Amino acid sequence: MIMNFIIVLAIGISLVWLLLRGFSKNKWREPKSGISKERKQILTTKVVFYNSLSAEEKLQFEYKIQEFLLNCRITGVNIDVDLTDQILVAASAVIPVFAFPEWKYTNLDEVLLYPGNFNEQFQMYNADSNILGMVGSGYMEGKMILSKPALHHGFSNESDKKNTAVHEFVHLTDKMDGNIDGLPSILLEKQYAIPWIDLISKKIEEIYEDRSDINPYGGTNKAEFFAVASEYFFEKPKQFAETHPEIYALMTEVFNQNMRSRNFKRSKQSLSRNSQCPCGSGLKFKKCCGRGH
């Protein structure tokens, strides 16, 4: 009798937890106001993807940044999280799904920022602490872990074809159908599935034979290839299109974005207090985002 009671109680607790989780997910929050000048300044100075957008697209990107931050916690583990950290995490989330304005990361509750690399047990400072990012599963379902230095490196280095946070959010889009398998059914139309799988297999073979400039980690499996190739696609699209035209063409279908048509440039302004503010307000920096600095 006691054992039956314990089983029933456990089932009841599980059902309540699932109901509460579903209820919280249904309470999707949407921005009620425009983006702040401080947030816009960070986007302008840190995110080249944002700078490549038209004025109308920038408004859409800003909205999605706001929406993401309203619905996902960003928590530091033994480190502080500042506004730049938050914006870079949100930008990493928005970039892969930017062409899908209705997209919502309903499978993510929280992003944990670590001060460095970690291992599969989420431990740092060990010999096997070589992981920069991970999408959680099991008891970590709904969470993502990112190395804060790797997050910032992804937006500061434009020549290495790598962006850890974008990589992990691509995994998350892949996972929306339940599996991280390199075949994102929500993004990928069925008519592209067979050529996509065949091409990935061919490209992984090229990695094994040392005939590819794609990150060798992409040879691990189809899921990692998809994420690694996506980093290349968003970081160095013109080079990717020239070097891998077939897979570039399919990825434009996957993400509904022709990345090589974008003009990627970082704001290289040297700001003084009398410089025009990079947020686009038309005011001097000292009277806008630089106020109080």
Side-chain angles (χ1 to χ4, degrees):
M1 289 294 291
I2 294 175
M3 182 59 69
N4 288 340
F5 173 76
I6 292 173
I7 292 172
V8 171
L9 180 62
I11 293 172
I13 291 172
S14 298
L15 288 173
V16 170
W17 182 84
L18 289 170
L19 286 170
L20 289 174
R21 180 177 171 84
F23 176 72
S24 65
K25 280 299 179 186
N26 289 332
K27 293 177 64 176
W28 190 263
R29 293 184 289 174
E30 297 183 354
K32 302 299 183 184
S33 59
I35 198 167
S36 70
K37 293 175 182 178
E38 291 81 6
R39 290 182 174 191
K40 188 166 184 175
Q41 182 195 359
I42 294 167
L43 285 172
T44 302
T45 56
K46 298 284 187 180
V47 183
V48 293
F49 183 95
Y50 173 80
N51 290 326
S52 74
L53 303 176
S54 67
E56 183 178 349
E57 288 174 326
K58 284 182 177 178
L59 290 176
Q60 179 186 333
F61 195 90
E62 292 163 9
Y63 179 89
K64 298 304 289 186
I65 291 286
Q66 300 274 79
E67 183 184 48
F68 180 85
L69 293 175
L70 281 174
N71 291 281
C72 180
R73 297 187 304 278
I74 301 174
T75 306
V77 178
N78 299 327
I79 53 169
D80 293 328
V81 172
D82 60 24
L83 185 58
T84 298
D85 300 329
Q86 295 173 2
I87 294 298
L88 294 186
V89 170
S92 305
V94 174
I95 287 170
V97 296
F98 179 65
F100 304 92
E102 299 305 314
W103 184 276
K104 293 175 174 59
Y105 284 103
T106 55
N107 57 347
L108 183 67
D109 301 312
E110 184 177 26
V111 175
L112 302 175
L113 284 187
Y114 272 38
N117 299 6
F118 53 94
N119 62 20
E120 290 186 357
Q121 289 73 46
F122 317 116
Q123 299 167 335
M124 297 176 285
Y125 315 121
N126 292 330
D128 61 345
S129 297
N130 56 9
I131 300 175
L132 300 176
M134 178 187 291
V135 173
S137 60
Y139 76 94
M140 290 291 284
E141 189 70 31
K143 299 188 186 301
M144 177 186 291
I145 307 173
L146 292 172
S147 156
K148 178 172 174 173
L151 168 68
H152 284 259
H153 180 80
F155 286 92
S156 63
N157 190 317
E158 301 165 30
S159 61
D160 64 354
K161 300 171 289 190
K162 297 178 183 177
N163 188 308
T164 296
V166 167
H167 179 113
E168 296 306 323
F169 276 103
V170 167
H171 276 324
L172 204 58
T173 64
D174 190 1
K175 192 179 181 180
M176 288 294 279
D177 61 358
N179 298 301
I180 300 178
D181 55 8
L183 185 62
S185 60
I186 292 179
L187 293 180
L188 194 62
E189 294 294 335
K190 290 183 180 179
Q191 64 262 33
Y192 298 113
I194 293 176
W196 174 258
I197 293 171
D198 290 344
L199 191 53
I200 283 184
S201 299
K202 173 185 170 184
K203 291 296 181 180
I204 289 177
E205 190 106 3
E206 290 177 4
I207 291 175
Y208 286 151
E209 295 172 356
D210 199 23
R211 295 188 294 110
S212 177
D213 68 338
I214 293 174
N215 186 340
Y217 189 61
T220 306
N221 54 50
K222 290 181 174 65
E224 293 302 342
F225 181 88
F226 175 45
V228 162
S230 297
E231 293 179 77
Y232 197 161
F233 178 81
F234 287 110
E235 290 279 298
K236 301 281 286 183
K238 290 182 172 63
Q239 181 179 332
F240 189 45
E242 291 172 5
T243 311
H244 306 277
E246 291 176 288
I247 200 161
Y248 176 85
L250 279 178
M251 292 187 82
T252 60
E253 301 291 345
V254 170
F255 295 110
N256 196 28
Q257 299 188 58
N258 183 10
M259 289 297 299
R260 67 178 171 180
S261 67
R262 297 200 180 281
N263 181 23
F264 275 21
K265 61 180 181 180
R266 184 180 298 280
S267 174
K268 299 185 181 297
Q269 293 171 291
S270 177
L271 287 177
S272 71
R273 288 182 56 75
N274 288 312
S275 298
Q276 186 173 16
C277 190
C279 77
S281 66
L283 299 174
K284 289 184 178 181
F285 181 66
K286 66 182 179 183
K287 294 186 177 180
C288 191
C289 296
R291 186 179 298 161
H293 287 219

